[in-house]
Each structure stands twice: as C-alpha cells, then as structure tokens.
Amino acid sequence: DRWVLQADLGHALRNGELSLHFQPQAEINGRIFGFEALMRWTHPTRGAISPDAFIPLAEASDIILDMSAWVLKEACRTAAGWTHPLTVAVNLSPIQFQHGELPLLIQQTLIDTGLPPSRLELEITEGILLGDFAHIVGLLRRIKAMGVRIAMDDFGTGYSSLSYLQAFPFDKIKIDKSFVQSIGRTEQATTIIRAVIGLCRGLGIPVIAEGVETEEQRSFLAQEHCTEIQGYIIGRPAPIQVYSKVVDSLAPASTT
C-alpha cells in the first residue's frame, strides 16, 4: 500500500492534486502578522491524505525536491498578491540541503514571484544540522544574506544543541506544540518552555509557540513574555481565501 501511494504521489503534482493551506501566525494579543504555508494532498480516490503519511514517502525519494520547490514558489506567489505585506513561512526538507543548489532556487523563486526577501521565512528542523554541519551552515548564511529569515522549527524535540544557536544567528525559534499542549498538565513542560523563552530572550532571538489552542495556554505564554503564537486559538490551516479579509485589509487583523 505504501508503494502504491508513493507511486500515486509521483503523479500528484502533475495532476494538480497538491494545494496549500495557510495557518496564521500572530502576536500574543492576536494581531496576525503572517502565515505558515502547509502542503495538502487530495487523492483522486482516497480523498485527503495526511501530511504525516505522504511527506515521509516523498522524502524517501526525490519526489520531495519537486514538491518542495512547488510549495516554495506557490507560497511566495500567493503572498506577493496580498494587499498587506504579511510574512509567509515555508518548511524546508532536509533532502533539499543534500541535492541541488538551494540558495539559487530560493533566489530565483523570489525573482520570479516578486516577493521581497524580508517577507519570506524558512523553517528548518534541528535534524538538518546533523549532516555536514559546516556545509549546511554555509548554505543557511547564503540564504540569510539575501534578506530571508531562518527559523528553527520544533525546538526541543530532536537533537537540541545550544551550539546550534551559537553557530548560526537564527531569526526565530519555534517551541514545539507538544510542550505547549502540556501546559498546566506537567511541570516538566512548563519548565522547559520557561527555559527556552529565557534563553532566547537572553540571546535576542524571538520565540513563537505553536499549537496554542486555549486561553490558559495563551495566558501562560504571555506571563512568560512569549511574544508570538500559532495555533487553533488564532486560526486553523485553510485555503488562503478563508483569510481574505486579513490579507486584503489595509492593516493586520486581530482576533481579539
């Protein structure tokens, strides 16, 4: 079944089965400043396929390269058409750092779509840095030199190393939703969140907490001086048309 699904995935891009959903990112008070672009696949017979199911299949082959390039271009093209200059965040796959010329792809995409580099944020996971560290940091520095921002996603869930924060000037750290959703339930999670926020504040790195769903979670994060959040409390991933009033307004929207 996995083999058949992987074969179908090879045709998904050509057949127009892939699409993007956008989830808003906001300041702690609910003021939306940008969106994260998330890939979705609607199979012609199976319907919606979870990204947790098809992304690993794509990364097991070179299909992920074409898919990731499509996501980057489609996200930048979409954001370039917004009336208000909100930011757009795009996830990079570890495979993209192993094949091809990633900085050139990003540069050409920005040129083709007309999106200012300052409005693009690229999210990477800690696992990417486990490869040829010097080479990968070199690629990240070339990308950052364009004016594009680099965020570390899912911080604390993989191979966290403080040396990463010392070796590369990340523009943002994302606290993983597994910690956020444990707020009020486990003291370990709240302690870790406090530690990450305090560390990043000391380093001058902005922090965004993902997976925020309740007012209790938002209140705790506000008390700990976390300035940015993402999650259902702000908005669910959806086609950008759902957020037309936000992206076409003259000022960023607020959920409060």
Side-chain angles (χ1 to χ4, degrees):
D1 185 69
R2 284 173 56 85
W3 184 87
V4 171
L5 198 61
Q6 188 175 50
D8 290 345
L9 189 56
H11 304 291
L13 187 58
R14 293 191 299 271
N15 295 341
E17 298 167 16
L18 300 181
S19 62
L20 287 185
H21 281 194
F22 292 81
Q23 184 171 32
Q25 299 178 324
E27 296 174 359
I28 196 70
N29 62 6
R31 180 177 176 271
I32 295 173
F33 62 80
F35 290 85
E36 180 179 359
L38 301 165
M39 184 162 41
R40 295 293 184 263
W41 179 22
T42 303
H43 191 279
T45 58
R46 303 188 187 206
I49 306 293
S50 168
D52 291 339
F54 74 80
I55 293 296
L57 292 178
E59 290 187 330
S61 70
D62 286 342
I63 297 173
I64 192 64
L65 296 176
D66 290 338
M67 292 173 62
S68 297
W70 177 85
V71 169
L72 178 65
K73 187 167 186 176
E74 185 66 13
C76 290
R77 182 195 64 78
T78 301
W82 298 339
T83 301
H84 189 81
L86 303 169
T87 60
V88 63
V90 177
N91 293 280
L92 293 181
S93 167
I95 310 301
Q96 290 179 279
F97 287 84
Q98 301 172 14
H99 301 275
E101 188 56 67
L102 183 58
L104 290 180
L105 171 65
I106 295 167
Q107 183 180 47
Q108 190 61 51
T109 299
L110 292 170
I111 293 172
D112 292 343
T113 61
L115 183 72
S118 60
R119 292 180 56 198
L120 176 63
E121 183 171 279
L122 299 174
E123 298 185 0
I124 69 167
T125 59
E126 297 162 300
I128 289 176
L129 299 170
L130 289 176
D132 186 339
F133 185 79
H135 172 69
I136 292 171
V137 169
L139 292 178
L140 291 174
R141 290 187 181 278
R142 287 173 59 189
I143 296 169
K144 188 176 174 68
M146 301 177 197
V148 175
R149 294 186 294 178
I150 307 292
M152 181 180 286
D153 195 11
D154 301 338
F155 185 75
T157 62
Y159 307 90
S160 300
S161 172
L162 299 185
S163 64
Y164 295 160
L165 303 183
Q166 186 178 35
F168 182 78
F170 285 95
D171 296 287
K172 188 175 295 184
I173 298 295
K174 296 190 76 173
I175 299 177
D176 187 69
K177 62 183 180 182
S178 62
F179 297 118
V180 173
Q181 292 171 357
S182 294
I183 290 174
R185 297 207 303 265
T186 69
E187 185 60 32
Q188 292 91 336
T190 54
T191 300
I192 290 172
I193 291 174
R194 286 193 182 103
V196 172
I197 294 174
L199 172 66
C200 291
R201 185 165 63 245
L203 294 173
I205 305 175
V207 176
I208 182 169
E210 58 182 351
V212 182
E213 299 180 358
T214 68
E215 283 297 340
E216 177 190 11
Q217 293 165 353
R218 172 153 57 176
S219 177
F220 171 82
L221 292 166
Q223 291 174 9
E224 298 300 321
H225 307 290
C226 178
T227 57
E228 299 177 2
I229 56 176
Q230 178 179 346
Y232 291 173
I233 195 171
I234 301 298
R236 294 174 178 268
I240 197 59
Q241 292 81 3
V242 172
Y243 296 105
S244 59
K245 292 183 179 180
V246 177
V247 300
D248 293 330
S249 64
L250 295 179
S254 173
T255 60
T256 59

